[in-house]
Short mmCIF file of all heavy atoms in Angstrom, two decimals:
data_model
loop_
_atom_site.label_atom_id
_atom_site.label_comp_id
_atom_site.label_asym_id
_atom_site.label_seq_id
_atom_site.Cartn_x
_atom_site.Cartn_y
_atom_site.Cartn_z
N LYS A 102 1.39 34.02 -14.97
CA LYS A 102 0.95 34.06 -16.37
C LYS A 102 1.99 34.68 -17.30
O LYS A 102 2.05 34.31 -18.47
CB LYS A 102 -0.40 34.79 -16.48
CG LYS A 102 -1.57 34.01 -15.88
CD LYS A 102 -2.90 34.65 -16.24
CE LYS A 102 -4.05 34.25 -15.35
NZ LYS A 102 -4.47 32.87 -15.40
N ARG A 192 -10.51 23.29 -23.13
CA ARG A 192 -9.65 22.85 -22.03
C ARG A 192 -9.18 21.43 -22.35
O ARG A 192 -10.00 20.54 -22.58
CB ARG A 192 -10.46 22.88 -20.72
CG ARG A 192 -9.87 22.09 -19.55
CD ARG A 192 -8.49 22.54 -19.11
NE ARG A 192 -8.39 23.88 -18.56
CZ ARG A 192 -8.59 24.18 -17.27
NH1 ARG A 192 -8.91 23.25 -16.41
NH2 ARG A 192 -8.45 25.43 -16.85
N ARG A 206 -15.65 24.88 -23.66
CA ARG A 206 -16.39 25.60 -22.62
C ARG A 206 -17.03 26.82 -23.24
O ARG A 206 -16.41 27.51 -24.06
CB ARG A 206 -15.42 26.05 -21.51
CG ARG A 206 -14.60 24.90 -20.95
CD ARG A 206 -13.75 25.32 -19.79
NE ARG A 206 -12.72 26.29 -20.16
CZ ARG A 206 -11.74 26.67 -19.35
NH1 ARG A 206 -11.68 26.21 -18.12
NH2 ARG A 206 -10.82 27.53 -19.75
N ASN A 216 -14.77 30.29 -18.44
CA ASN A 216 -14.46 29.38 -17.33
C ASN A 216 -15.70 28.62 -16.83
O ASN A 216 -16.77 29.20 -16.64
CB ASN A 216 -13.88 30.15 -16.14
CG ASN A 216 -12.59 30.85 -16.49
OD1 ASN A 216 -12.59 31.80 -17.25
ND2 ASN A 216 -11.49 30.35 -15.96
N ASP A 251 -5.50 25.60 -21.57
CA ASP A 251 -6.61 26.33 -22.19
C ASP A 251 -6.19 26.79 -23.57
O ASP A 251 -5.12 27.40 -23.73
CB ASP A 251 -6.98 27.58 -21.35
CG ASP A 251 -7.53 27.23 -19.98
OD1 ASP A 251 -7.85 26.05 -19.75
OD2 ASP A 251 -7.66 28.15 -19.15
N GLU A 263 -3.59 29.66 -21.54
CA GLU A 263 -2.81 29.50 -20.30
C GLU A 263 -2.71 28.03 -19.95
O GLU A 263 -3.43 27.19 -20.51
CB GLU A 263 -3.45 30.28 -19.15
CG GLU A 263 -4.77 29.72 -18.73
CD GLU A 263 -5.04 29.83 -17.23
OE1 GLU A 263 -4.18 30.25 -16.46
OE2 GLU A 263 -6.16 29.43 -16.84
N ASN A 265 -2.66 25.39 -16.66
CA ASN A 265 -2.96 25.25 -15.23
C ASN A 265 -2.25 24.02 -14.67
O ASN A 265 -2.33 22.94 -15.26
CB ASN A 265 -4.46 25.05 -15.04
CG ASN A 265 -5.24 26.26 -15.51
OD1 ASN A 265 -5.45 27.20 -14.77
ND2 ASN A 265 -5.63 26.25 -16.78
MG1 MG B 302 -8.01 29.51 -17.42
#
Side-chain angles (χ1 to χ4, degrees):
K102 291 191 199 294
R192 163 60 64 87
R206 307 185 295 189
N216 299 69
D251 295 348
E263 67 145 355
N265 297 273

